[in-house]
Amino acid sequence: MKSYNYKLLAVIAFSLLLPIVADAQCAMCRAVLESEGDGGMAKGINNGIVYLMIFPYLLVGGIAFAIYKYKKRNKA
């Protein structure tokens, strides 16, 4: 049973670390940025939004890891 948990954790961690191409703009931002000619600003806005999305996942992952370590320490 323990090896199953480690395999599942490894698959989840691997899938979160894969680069995902995402257009993460709202409709209004997309309309304004698409009217621009070269699309450089749109790419920058997309990258900024994706980078900002990383921090909630890191926060939740950190809290989950802390809970895991706390429970593991109390079992021993």
Coordinates of all heavy atoms in Angstrom, one line a residue:
M1 N 0.8 -1.2 0.0 CA 0.0 0.0 0.0 C 0.9 1.3 0.0 O 0.5 2.2 -0.6 CB -0.9 -0.1 1.2 CG -1.9 1.0 1.2 SD -3.2 0.7 0.0 CE -4.5 1.7 0.5
K2 N 2.0 1.2 0.7 CA 2.9 2.4 0.7 C 3.5 2.7 -0.6 O 3.6 3.9 -1.0 CB 4.0 2.2 1.7 CG 3.5 2.4 3.2 CD 4.7 2.4 4.1 CE 4.3 2.7 5.5 NZ 5.4 2.9 6.4
S3 N 3.8 1.7 -1.4 CA 4.4 2.0 -2.7 C 3.4 2.6 -3.6 O 3.7 3.4 -4.5 CB 5.0 0.7 -3.3 OG 3.9 -0.2 -3.6
Y4 N 2.1 2.3 -3.5 CA 1.1 2.9 -4.3 C 1.0 4.4 -4.0 O 0.8 5.2 -4.9 CB -0.3 2.2 -4.0 CG -1.5 2.9 -4.6 CD1 -1.7 2.7 -6.0 CD2 -2.3 3.7 -3.9 CE1 -2.7 3.3 -6.6 CE2 -3.4 4.3 -4.5 CZ -3.6 4.1 -5.9 OH -4.6 4.8 -6.5
N5 N 1.1 4.8 -2.7 CA 1.0 6.2 -2.3 C 2.2 6.9 -2.9 O 2.0 8.1 -3.4 CB 1.0 6.3 -0.8 CG -0.3 5.9 -0.2 OD1 -1.3 5.8 -0.9 ND2 -0.3 5.5 1.1
Y6 N 3.4 6.3 -2.9 CA 4.6 7.0 -3.4 C 4.5 7.2 -4.9 O 4.9 8.2 -5.5 CB 5.8 6.3 -3.1 CG 6.2 6.4 -1.6 CD1 6.3 5.3 -0.8 CD2 6.4 7.7 -1.0 CE1 6.7 5.4 0.6 CE2 6.7 7.8 0.3 CZ 6.8 6.7 1.1 OH 7.2 6.8 2.4
K7 N 3.9 6.2 -5.6 CA 3.7 6.2 -7.1 C 2.7 7.3 -7.4 O 2.9 8.1 -8.3 CB 3.3 4.9 -7.6 CG 4.4 3.8 -7.6 CD 3.9 2.5 -8.1 CE 4.9 1.4 -8.0 NZ 4.4 0.1 -8.4
L8 N 1.6 7.4 -6.7 CA 0.6 8.4 -6.9 C 1.2 9.8 -6.7 O 1.0 10.7 -7.5 CB -0.6 8.1 -6.0 CG -1.7 9.2 -6.2 CD1 -2.3 9.1 -7.6 CD2 -2.8 8.9 -5.1
L9 N 2.0 9.9 -5.6 CA 2.6 11.2 -5.3 C 3.6 11.6 -6.4 O 3.6 12.8 -6.8 CB 3.3 11.2 -4.0 CG 3.9 12.5 -3.5 CD1 2.9 13.5 -3.3 CD2 4.7 12.2 -2.2
A10 N 4.3 10.6 -6.9 CA 5.3 10.9 -8.0 C 4.6 11.3 -9.3 O 5.0 12.3 -9.9 CB 6.2 9.7 -8.2
V11 N 3.5 10.7 -9.6 CA 2.7 11.1 -10.8 C 2.2 12.5 -10.7 O 2.2 13.3 -11.6 CB 1.6 10.0 -11.1 CG1 0.6 10.5 -12.1 CG2 2.2 8.7 -11.5
I12 N 1.6 12.8 -9.5 CA 1.0 14.1 -9.3 C 2.1 15.2 -9.4 O 2.0 16.2 -10.0 CB 0.3 14.2 -7.9 CG1 -1.0 13.3 -8.0 CG2 -0.1 15.6 -7.6 CD1 -1.7 13.1 -6.7
A13 N 3.3 14.9 -8.7 CA 4.4 15.9 -8.7 C 4.9 16.1 -10.1 O 5.2 17.2 -10.6 CB 5.5 15.4 -7.8
F14 N 5.0 15.0 -10.9 CA 5.5 15.1 -12.3 C 4.6 15.9 -13.1 O 5.0 16.7 -13.9 CB 5.8 13.7 -12.8 CG 6.3 13.7 -14.2 CD1 7.6 14.0 -14.5 CD2 5.5 13.3 -15.3 CE1 8.1 14.0 -15.8 CE2 6.0 13.3 -16.6 CZ 7.3 13.7 -16.8
S15 N 3.3 15.6 -13.0 CA 2.3 16.3 -13.8 C 2.3 17.8 -13.5 O 2.0 18.7 -14.4 CB 0.9 15.7 -13.7 OG 0.4 15.9 -12.4
L16 N 2.5 18.2 -12.2 CA 2.5 19.6 -11.9 C 3.8 20.3 -12.4 O 3.8 21.5 -12.6 CB 2.4 19.8 -10.4 CG 1.0 19.4 -9.8 CD1 1.1 19.5 -8.2 CD2 0.0 20.3 -10.3
L17 N 4.8 19.6 -12.6 CA 6.1 20.2 -13.0 C 6.2 20.3 -14.5 O 7.1 20.9 -15.0 CB 7.3 19.4 -12.5 CG 7.4 19.5 -10.9 CD1 8.5 18.5 -10.5 CD2 7.6 20.9 -10.4
L18 N 5.3 19.7 -15.3 CA 5.3 19.8 -16.7 C 4.9 21.2 -17.2 O 4.0 21.8 -16.6 CB 4.4 18.8 -17.3 CG 4.7 17.3 -17.2 CD1 3.6 16.5 -17.8 CD2 6.0 17.0 -18.0
P19 N 5.6 21.7 -18.2 CA 5.2 23.0 -18.7 C 3.9 22.9 -19.4 O 3.7 22.0 -20.3 CB 6.4 23.4 -19.6 CG 7.0 22.1 -20.0 CD 6.8 21.2 -18.8
I20 N 3.0 23.8 -19.1 CA 1.7 23.8 -19.7 C 1.5 25.1 -20.4 O 1.7 26.2 -19.9 CB 0.6 23.6 -18.7 CG1 0.7 22.3 -17.9 CG2 -0.8 23.7 -19.3 CD1 -0.2 22.1 -16.8
V21 N 1.2 25.0 -21.7 CA 0.9 26.2 -22.5 C -0.5 26.6 -22.2 O -1.4 25.8 -22.5 CB 1.2 25.9 -24.0 CG1 0.8 27.2 -24.8 CG2 2.6 25.5 -24.2
A22 N -0.7 27.8 -21.7 CA -2.1 28.2 -21.4 C -2.3 29.7 -21.8 O -1.4 30.5 -21.7 CB -2.3 28.1 -19.9
D23 N -3.4 29.9 -22.4 CA -3.8 31.3 -22.6 C -4.7 31.7 -21.4 O -5.9 31.4 -21.3 CB -4.7 31.4 -23.9 CG -3.8 31.2 -25.1 OD1 -2.6 31.5 -25.0 OD2 -4.3 30.8 -26.1
A24 N -4.1 32.4 -20.5 CA -4.8 32.7 -19.2 C -5.2 34.1 -19.1 O -5.1 34.8 -18.1 CB -3.8 32.4 -18.1
Q25 N -5.9 34.6 -20.2 CA -6.4 36.0 -20.2 C -7.9 36.0 -20.0 O -8.6 35.1 -20.5 CB -6.0 36.7 -21.4 CG -4.5 36.9 -21.6 CD -4.2 37.5 -22.9 OE1 -5.1 37.7 -23.8 NE2 -3.0 37.9 -23.1
C26 N -8.4 37.1 -19.4 CA -9.8 37.3 -19.4 C -10.2 37.8 -20.8 O -9.4 38.2 -21.6 CB -10.2 38.3 -18.3 SG -9.6 39.9 -18.6
A27 N -11.5 37.8 -21.1 CA -12.0 38.2 -22.4 C -11.6 39.7 -22.7 O -11.3 40.0 -23.9 CB -13.5 38.0 -22.5
M28 N -11.7 40.6 -21.7 CA -11.4 42.0 -22.0 C -10.0 42.2 -22.3 O -9.6 42.9 -23.2 CB -11.9 42.8 -20.8 CG -13.4 42.9 -20.6 SD -14.3 43.5 -22.0 CE -13.7 45.2 -22.0
C29 N -9.1 41.6 -21.5 CA -7.7 41.7 -21.7 C -7.3 41.1 -23.1 O -6.5 41.7 -23.8 CB -6.9 41.0 -20.6 SG -7.1 41.7 -19.0
R30 N -7.9 40.0 -23.4 CA -7.6 39.4 -24.7 C -8.0 40.3 -25.9 O -7.3 40.4 -26.8 CB -8.3 38.0 -24.8 CG -8.0 37.3 -26.1 CD -8.8 35.9 -26.1 NE -8.0 35.0 -26.8 CZ -7.1 34.2 -26.3 NH1 -6.9 34.1 -25.0 NH2 -6.4 33.4 -27.1
A31 N -9.2 40.9 -25.8 CA -9.6 41.8 -26.9 C -8.7 43.0 -27.0 O -8.4 43.3 -28.2 CB -11.1 42.2 -26.6
V32 N -8.3 43.6 -26.0 CA -7.4 44.7 -26.0 C -6.1 44.3 -26.6 O -5.5 45.0 -27.5 CB -7.3 45.4 -24.7 CG1 -6.2 46.5 -24.7 CG2 -8.6 46.0 -24.2
L33 N -5.5 43.2 -26.1 CA -4.2 42.8 -26.5 C -4.1 42.3 -27.9 O -3.1 42.3 -28.6 CB -3.6 41.8 -25.5 CG -3.3 42.5 -24.1 CD1 -2.9 41.4 -23.2 CD2 -2.3 43.5 -24.2
E34 N -5.2 41.7 -28.4 CA -5.2 41.2 -29.8 C -5.3 42.3 -30.8 O -4.9 42.1 -32.0 CB -6.4 40.2 -30.0 CG -6.1 38.8 -29.4 CD -7.3 37.9 -29.6 OE1 -8.4 38.3 -30.1 OE2 -7.1 36.7 -29.4
S35 N -5.8 43.4 -30.4 CA -5.8 44.5 -31.3 C -4.4 45.1 -31.6 O -4.2 45.8 -32.5 CB -6.8 45.6 -30.8 OG -6.3 46.2 -29.6
E36 N -3.5 44.8 -30.7 CA -2.1 45.2 -30.9 C -1.5 44.4 -32.0 O -1.8 43.2 -32.2 CB -1.3 44.9 -29.6 CG 0.1 45.4 -29.6 CD 0.8 45.1 -28.4 OE1 1.3 44.0 -28.3 OE2 0.8 46.0 -27.5
G37 N -0.6 44.9 -32.8 CA 0.0 44.3 -34.0 C 0.9 43.1 -33.7 O 0.6 42.0 -34.2
D38 N 1.9 43.3 -33.0 CA 3.0 42.2 -32.9 C 2.7 41.1 -31.9 O 3.2 40.1 -32.0 CB 4.3 42.9 -32.6 CG 4.4 43.6 -31.3 OD1 3.4 43.7 -30.6 OD2 5.5 44.0 -30.9
G39 N 1.9 41.4 -30.9 CA 1.5 40.3 -29.9 C 2.6 40.2 -28.8 O 2.4 39.3 -28.0
G40 N 3.6 41.0 -28.8 CA 4.6 40.9 -27.7 C 4.0 41.2 -26.3 O 4.4 40.5 -25.4
M41 N 3.2 42.2 -26.3 CA 2.6 42.5 -25.0 C 1.6 41.4 -24.5 O 1.6 41.1 -23.3 CB 1.8 43.8 -25.0 CG 1.3 44.3 -23.6 SD 0.4 45.8 -23.7 CE 1.8 46.9 -23.8
A42 N 0.9 40.8 -25.4 CA 0.0 39.7 -25.1 C 0.8 38.5 -24.5 O 0.3 37.9 -23.5 CB -0.8 39.3 -26.3
K43 N 1.9 38.2 -25.1 CA 2.7 37.1 -24.6 C 3.2 37.4 -23.2 O 3.3 36.6 -22.3 CB 3.9 36.9 -25.5 CG 4.7 35.7 -25.2 CD 5.7 35.3 -26.2 CE 6.5 34.1 -25.8 NZ 7.5 33.8 -26.7
G44 N 3.6 38.7 -22.9 CA 4.1 39.1 -21.6 C 3.0 39.0 -20.6 O 3.2 38.6 -19.5
I45 N 1.8 39.4 -20.9 CA 0.7 39.4 -20.0 C 0.3 37.9 -19.7 O 0.1 37.5 -18.5 CB -0.6 40.1 -20.6 CG1 -0.3 41.6 -20.7 CG2 -1.8 39.8 -19.8 CD1 -0.2 42.3 -19.5
N46 N 0.3 37.0 -20.7 CA 0.1 35.6 -20.5 C 1.1 35.0 -19.5 O 0.8 34.3 -18.6 CB 0.1 34.8 -21.8 CG -1.2 34.7 -22.4 OD1 -2.2 34.9 -21.7 ND2 -1.2 34.5 -23.7
N47 N 2.4 35.3 -19.8 CA 3.4 34.8 -18.9 C 3.3 35.3 -17.5 O 3.5 34.5 -16.5 CB 4.8 35.2 -19.4 CG 5.2 34.4 -20.6 OD1 4.6 33.3 -20.9 ND2 6.1 34.9 -21.4
G48 N 2.9 36.6 -17.3 CA 2.7 37.1 -16.0 C 1.6 36.5 -15.2 O 1.7 36.2 -14.0
I49 N 0.5 36.2 -15.9 CA -0.6 35.5 -15.3 C -0.3 34.1 -14.9 O -0.6 33.7 -13.8 CB -1.9 35.6 -16.2 CG1 -2.3 37.0 -16.4 CG2 -3.0 34.7 -15.7 CD1 -3.4 37.2 -17.4
V50 N 0.4 33.4 -15.7 CA 0.8 32.0 -15.4 C 1.8 32.0 -14.2 O 1.6 31.2 -13.3 CB 1.4 31.3 -16.6 CG1 2.0 30.0 -16.3 CG2 0.4 31.2 -17.7
Y51 N 2.7 33.0 -14.2 CA 3.6 33.0 -13.0 C 2.9 33.3 -11.7 O 3.2 32.8 -10.7 CB 4.7 34.1 -13.2 CG 5.7 33.7 -14.3 CD1 6.2 34.7 -15.2 CD2 6.1 32.4 -14.5 CE1 7.1 34.3 -16.2 CE2 7.0 32.1 -15.6 CZ 7.5 33.0 -16.4 OH 8.3 32.7 -17.4
L52 N 1.9 34.2 -11.8 CA 1.1 34.5 -10.6 C 0.3 33.3 -10.2 O -0.1 33.2 -9.0 CB 0.2 35.7 -10.9 CG 0.9 37.0 -10.9 CD1 -0.1 38.1 -11.3 CD2 1.5 37.4 -9.6
M53 N -0.1 32.4 -11.1 CA -0.9 31.2 -10.7 C 0.0 30.2 -10.0 O -0.6 29.3 -9.3 CB -1.4 30.6 -12.0 CG -2.6 31.3 -12.6 SD -3.2 30.6 -14.2 CE -2.9 28.9 -14.1
I54 N 1.3 30.3 -10.1 CA 2.2 29.3 -9.4 C 2.1 29.4 -7.9 O 2.1 28.4 -7.2 CB 3.6 29.5 -9.9 CG1 3.7 29.1 -11.3 CG2 4.6 28.7 -9.0 CD1 5.1 29.4 -12.0
F55 N 2.0 30.6 -7.3 CA 2.1 30.8 -5.9 C 1.0 30.2 -5.1 O 1.2 29.6 -4.0 CB 2.3 32.3 -5.6 CG 3.6 32.8 -6.1 CD1 3.6 33.6 -7.2 CD2 4.7 32.5 -5.5 CE1 4.8 34.1 -7.7 CE2 6.0 32.9 -6.0 CZ 6.0 33.7 -7.1
P56 N -0.3 30.2 -5.5 CA -1.3 29.5 -4.7 C -1.0 28.0 -4.7 O -1.2 27.3 -3.6 CB -2.6 29.8 -5.5 CG -2.4 31.0 -6.2 CD -0.9 31.0 -6.5
Y57 N -0.5 27.4 -5.8 CA -0.2 26.0 -5.8 C 1.0 25.7 -4.8 O 1.0 24.7 -4.1 CB 0.1 25.5 -7.2 CG -1.1 25.4 -8.1 CD1 -1.3 26.4 -9.1 CD2 -2.1 24.4 -7.9 CE1 -2.4 26.3 -9.9 CE2 -3.2 24.4 -8.7 CZ -3.4 25.3 -9.6 OH -4.5 25.3 -10.4
L58 N 2.0 26.6 -4.8 CA 3.1 26.4 -3.9 C 2.6 26.5 -2.4 O 3.1 25.7 -1.6 CB 4.2 27.4 -4.2 CG 5.0 27.2 -5.5 CD1 5.9 28.4 -5.7 CD2 5.7 25.9 -5.4
L59 N 1.7 27.4 -2.2 CA 1.2 27.6 -0.8 C 0.4 26.4 -0.4 O 0.7 25.9 0.7 CB 0.3 28.8 -0.8 CG -0.2 29.2 0.6 CD1 0.9 29.5 1.6 CD2 -1.2 30.4 0.4
V60 N -0.5 25.9 -1.2 CA -1.2 24.7 -0.8 C -0.3 23.5 -0.7 O -0.5 22.7 0.3 CB -2.4 24.5 -1.9 CG1 -3.0 23.1 -1.7 CG2 -3.4 25.6 -1.8
G61 N 0.6 23.3 -1.6 CA 1.6 22.2 -1.5 C 2.4 22.3 -0.2 O 2.7 21.3 0.4
G62 N 2.8 23.5 0.2 CA 3.6 23.7 1.4 C 2.8 23.3 2.6 O 3.3 22.7 3.6
I63 N 1.6 23.7 2.6 CA 0.7 23.4 3.8 C 0.4 21.9 3.8 O 0.5 21.3 4.9 CB -0.6 24.2 3.7 CG1 -0.4 25.7 3.9 CG2 -1.7 23.7 4.7 CD1 -1.5 26.6 3.6
A64 N 0.2 21.3 2.7 CA 0.0 19.8 2.7 C 1.2 19.1 3.2 O 1.1 18.1 3.9 CB -0.4 19.4 1.3
F65 N 2.4 19.6 2.7 CA 3.6 18.9 3.2 C 3.8 19.1 4.7 O 4.2 18.1 5.4 CB 4.8 19.5 2.4 CG 6.1 18.9 2.8 CD1 6.4 17.6 2.3 CD2 7.1 19.6 3.5 CE1 7.7 17.1 2.7 CE2 8.3 19.1 3.8 CZ 8.6 17.8 3.4
A66 N 3.5 20.3 5.2 CA 3.7 20.5 6.6 C 2.7 19.6 7.4 O 3.1 19.0 8.5 CB 3.4 22.0 7.0
I67 N 1.5 19.4 7.0 CA 0.5 18.6 7.6 C 1.0 17.1 7.6 O 1.0 16.4 8.6 CB -0.9 18.7 7.0 CG1 -1.4 20.1 7.3 CG2 -1.8 17.6 7.5 CD1 -2.7 20.4 6.6
Y68 N 1.5 16.7 6.4 CA 2.1 15.3 6.3 C 3.2 15.1 7.3 O 3.3 14.1 7.9 CB 2.5 15.1 4.8 CG 3.4 13.9 4.6 CD1 2.8 12.7 4.6 CD2 4.7 14.0 4.5 CE1 3.5 11.5 4.4 CE2 5.5 12.8 4.3 CZ 4.9 11.6 4.3 OH 5.6 10.5 4.1
K69 N 4.2 16.0 7.3 CA 5.3 15.9 8.3 C 4.8 15.9 9.7 O 5.3 15.1 10.5 CB 6.3 17.0 8.1 CG 7.0 16.9 6.7 CD 7.8 15.6 6.6 CE 9.3 15.9 6.9 NZ 10.1 14.8 6.8
Y70 N 3.8 16.7 10.0 CA 3.3 16.8 11.4 C 2.7 15.4 11.8 O 2.9 14.9 12.9 CB 2.3 17.9 11.5 CG 1.6 18.0 12.9 CD1 2.3 18.5 13.9 CD2 0.3 17.6 13.0 CE1 1.7 18.6 15.2 CE2 -0.3 17.7 14.3 CZ 0.4 18.2 15.3 OH -0.2 18.3 16.6
K71 N 1.9 14.9 10.9 CA 1.2 13.6 11.2 C 2.2 12.5 11.3 O 2.1 11.6 12.1 CB 0.1 13.3 10.1 CG -1.1 14.2 10.3 CD -2.2 13.7 9.4 CE -3.4 14.5 9.6 NZ -4.6 14.0 8.9
K72 N 3.2 12.5 10.4 CA 4.2 11.4 10.4 C 5.1 11.5 11.7 O 5.4 10.5 12.3 CB 5.2 11.6 9.2 CG 6.2 10.5 9.0 CD 7.0 10.7 7.8 CE 8.0 9.6 7.6 NZ 8.9 9.8 6.5
R73 N 5.3 12.7 12.2 CA 6.1 12.8 13.4 C 5.3 12.4 14.6 O 5.8 11.8 15.5 CB 6.5 14.3 13.6 CG 7.4 14.5 14.8 CD 7.9 16.0 14.9 NE 6.9 16.9 14.2 CZ 7.2 18.1 13.9 NH1 8.4 18.5 14.0 NH2 6.3 18.9 13.3
N74 N 4.0 12.6 14.6 CA 3.1 12.2 15.7 C 2.9 10.7 15.8 O 2.6 10.2 16.8 CB 1.8 13.0 15.7 CG 2.0 14.4 16.2 OD1 2.9 14.8 16.8 ND2 1.0 15.2 15.9
K75 N 3.0 10.1 14.6 CA 2.8 8.6 14.6 C 4.0 7.9 15.2 O 3.8 6.9 15.9 CB 2.6 8.1 13.1 CG 1.2 8.1 12.6 CD 1.2 7.4 11.3 CE -0.2 7.3 10.8 NZ -0.3 6.7 9.5
A76 N 5.1 8.5 15.0 CA 6.3 7.8 15.6 C 6.5 8.1 17.0 O 6.1 7.6 17.9 CB 7.6 8.4 14.9

